[in-house]
Amino acid sequence: MKEKATSFDIAHRAGVSQSTVSRALRNSPLVSKETRDKIKSIARELNYKVDKNASNLRQQQSKTLALLLFEDPTSDDSMINPFFLSMLGSITRATANAGYDLLVSFQQFSDDWHADFEDTHKADGIILLGYGDFLEYQEKLQALEEQQTHFVRWGAINESHPGIVIGSNNYQGGKNITQHLLALGHREFVFVGGADNNSPEFLERFNGFNDALIDAGIVQKHQRAKHWDAISTEHSGYNVGKALVESGAKVDAILCASDLIAIGVLTAL
């Protein structure tokens, strides 16, 4: 007797992965219409039927959350921003209190990294920490939303991606610390770090910093305060700090966009 066709048979005929077959048969928007139609046509030819019992089993909760870290250039081999490491204990405790396990891994940028955890039922939801260049990252967020993946991210609020975001008031933080330094008598400021849409959190910090200086009359309205660009690494911060020293720039207060930049700047000074 001929054995029943499986999703692996369809995948072989279609020249795609088994997970792609699974998504196509669920009408996932992550699979193009052309590929979905091709897979469904092959499924009909093979008289393939979805195993409802297996499907229901796969849809059971795993009682696990996936914490996915973005790889950051660091001075050691961890590739993890120390700020996110400091959050790990609190996240682990919160998941344990809710009766969940926590799976910690790195974000992978293969085509299906964003869907693999839920599709294979390794996790019921995803926590994203870090993102690199936000303009490039938006495509991944869009895919997560279209897949209807359960996820939360740490970062800046972005109206084009209305999903659940946990973060801090970066604008007010930048403004508060600048006002504090002004009260101490500092008048020559420079901001070190990204200040554009590629780094929205850093941009908000810069805007708070800039507005505080405008309010104090140090920067003219509609102008930008002194700014040295730097990516969020110790090495980049060190290079900026060294350049500031060598340039002889008159500066008595430096605001850094991130902790890694600050460590590098302090090392150079």
Side-chain angles (χ1 to χ4, degrees):
M1 181 181 291
K2 186 178 179 181
E3 295 182 357
K4 291 195 302 182
T6 69
S7 58
F8 291 97
D9 296 324
I10 300 173
H12 178 74
R13 286 271 296 268
V16 299
S17 67
Q18 188 274 340
S19 59
T20 298
V21 171
S22 177
R23 293 185 191 114
L25 295 177
R26 297 200 315 270
N27 292 313
S28 168
L30 282 178
V31 182
S32 69
K33 184 178 185 304
E34 180 182 359
T35 302
R36 290 201 306 267
D37 290 344
K38 178 180 179 181
I39 288 172
K40 289 177 181 179
S41 176
I42 295 172
R44 286 192 295 271
E45 288 178 21
L46 297 178
N47 196 30
Y48 173 78
K49 302 294 183 183
V50 176
D51 187 333
K52 296 296 184 181
N53 291 328
S55 177
N56 290 335
L57 180 62
R58 287 194 298 268
Q59 290 175 16
Q60 291 180 0
Q61 290 186 326
S62 66
K63 298 297 287 184
T64 299
L65 296 179
L67 172 64
L68 304 184
L69 295 149
F70 186 85
E71 291 188 356
D72 278 313
T74 55
S75 57
D76 57 21
D77 294 330
S78 70
M79 301 297 284
I80 301 175
N81 188 315
F83 173 73
F84 294 135
L85 279 177
S86 68
M87 299 172 65
L88 182 58
S90 297
I91 295 173
T92 303
R93 174 58 59 190
T95 52
N97 288 342
Y100 277 75
D101 292 325
L102 185 67
L103 171 66
V104 181
S105 187
F106 284 107
Q107 298 175 32
Q108 302 296 323
F109 284 87
S110 60
D111 289 342
D112 297 326
W113 74 272
H114 47 271
D116 284 343
F117 281 89
E118 282 204 67
D119 282 2
T120 58
H121 302 280
K122 295 177 185 175
D124 299 330
I126 298 172
I127 301 170
L128 300 174
L129 293 184
Y131 55 80
D133 186 320
F134 190 76
L135 294 182
E136 295 180 0
Y137 199 67
Q138 289 189 82
E139 181 181 345
K140 294 297 182 184
L141 294 180
Q142 184 67 36
L144 283 169
E145 291 164 0
E146 291 178 352
Q147 175 74 3
Q148 297 183 335
T149 299
H150 299 92
F151 76 101
V152 176
R153 66 179 176 86
W154 171 270
I157 295 173
N158 185 290
E159 292 183 358
S160 64
H161 296 287
I164 298 174
V165 183
I166 308 297
S168 57
N169 190 332
N170 293 287
Y171 172 85
Q172 195 61 48
K175 191 168 187 177
N176 287 350
I177 196 169
T178 306
Q179 290 172 335
H180 173 72
L181 290 169
L182 285 165
L184 294 177
H186 297 288
R187 291 296 180 270
E188 298 292 339
F189 290 80
V190 65
F191 183 93
V192 180
D196 53 35
N197 289 325
N198 297 77
S199 306
E201 291 165 288
F202 296 171
L203 176 59
E204 289 176 9
R205 293 169 192 174
F206 174 81
N207 288 338
F209 158 77
N210 199 66
D211 285 352
L213 295 183
I214 290 174
D215 293 343
I218 293 176
V219 173
Q220 296 298 311
K221 198 172 184 179
H222 306 305
Q223 289 187 343
R224 284 167 67 91
K226 293 178 183 177
H227 165 241
W228 284 60
D229 196 27
I231 61 174
S232 188
T233 66
E234 291 181 31
H235 182 68
S236 184
Y238 176 84
N239 287 339
V240 171
K242 184 179 179 182
L244 281 169
V245 172
E246 293 175 349
S247 70
K250 187 179 179 182
V251 176
D252 62 10
I254 301 174
L255 270 76
C256 297
S258 76
D259 50 354
L260 292 176
I261 293 173
I263 293 170
V265 170
L266 287 172
T267 303
L269 299 180

